[in-house]
Structures are given as C-alpha cells and as structure tokens.
Amino acid sequence: GTVGRLALVGVPMAMNQSCYGIRSSEGYPDYFTYYMIRTEVANLKQRTHGTVFETITRQTFDTVNITQPPLALAQAFDHQMQPYLDHIRHNLYESHTLISIRNTLLPRLISGELRVPDAERFVEEHV
C-alpha cells in the first residue's frame, strides 16, 4: 500500500495485510474518527520504519497521543457531517453508474450498433 494513504469507505470491503481498518474505541463515531486520524497522517508518516519499504505498524499508532473531546461533542460533529458525507457517497455511486453506462453505450453508438432512440431506452431500463 501507499504509506499514509487514508480513505473513508462507504461499502464493506476486504483489505490485505498492508492496510488497516481503524475504528475508534469508547463509542466515538466513524466520521469523527476519520477526521481525527486524517489530522495525524503526517505525524504517522514521520514515524514509519521498515527495511524494504517504509510502513506504519500497530506500534506506530501507540506512539501517537490524540486528545479526545467529550463523546457528546464527537457525536454532534458526526451528526453535522453525516448529511454532507452521505451526499458525497451518493454522488460517487451515481458517477460510477454513469461511467458504466457511458462505457457500455459509447462503443455501440460509435460502431452504429445502437442509435440514439435505442440508447435512450437502454438508459431507462438500466438506471
């Protein structure tokens, strides 16, 4: 993996041994945890080590001290952020759907296999 690369995932996924799934303890919500870790990525990258390539290990996380606000404040932050992040996730899904439709239709339109009225029907059936 790319050391220090951080992502907020919106679907279940599998990871390999060079990736970490991070969840907070003590009931702190996911969006709050993501943004807290995001502020620490540069600090974590400075603490990498390894012989073949630099890596962040579980022990690297032990060297970072993050001040936690009261749980109610973190939950309020999550409540405020959720509509925005849900909107971003929806837009990403929609974008992937449109890309898939484009990639399916464009070659057929260019080759003459489909005409525009046929393409409109195709879109209506698959969206």
Side-chain angles (χ1 to χ4, degrees):
T2 304
V3 174
R5 182 79 176 185
L6 181 67
L8 181 63
V9 297
V11 295
M13 55 186 327
M15 297 179 287
N16 67 19
Q17 68 274 10
S18 66
C19 297
Y20 291 96
I22 301 172
R23 296 203 100 159
S24 74
S25 59
E26 304 167 17
Y28 280 83
D30 293 337
Y31 297 141
F32 173 80
T33 301
Y34 168 77
Y35 282 102
M36 285 297 291
I37 294 295
R38 186 174 165 180
T39 64
E40 288 297 317
V41 166
N43 187 15
L44 288 166
K45 286 172 73 172
Q46 290 176 352
R47 298 164 189 249
T48 60
H49 62 278
T51 54
V52 177
F53 59 89
E54 297 199 343
T55 185
I56 295 173
T57 65
R58 291 179 69 138
Q59 290 75 29
T60 309
F61 287 99
D62 291 338
T63 67
V64 177
N65 188 13
I66 297 176
T67 303
Q68 295 178 324
L71 181 58
L73 184 60
Q75 290 170 335
F77 174 85
D78 242 50
H79 182 72
Q80 291 292 315
M81 293 302 294
Q82 184 170 354
Y84 298 108
L85 294 170
D86 286 347
H87 190 72
I88 290 169
R89 181 175 43 230
H90 171 76
N91 287 347
L92 288 169
Y93 288 145
E94 189 172 281
S95 176
H96 287 289
T97 299
L98 292 171
I99 288 168
S100 177
I101 290 170
R102 179 205 61 202
N103 291 346
T104 302
L105 287 178
L106 192 57
R108 293 178 183 178
L109 288 167
I110 290 172
S111 71
E113 181 183 340
L114 275 179
R115 295 179 314 123
V116 172
D118 297 330
E120 290 171 357
R121 187 170 21 95
F122 178 90
V123 171
E124 288 173 4
E125 292 172 0
H126 291 88
V127 174

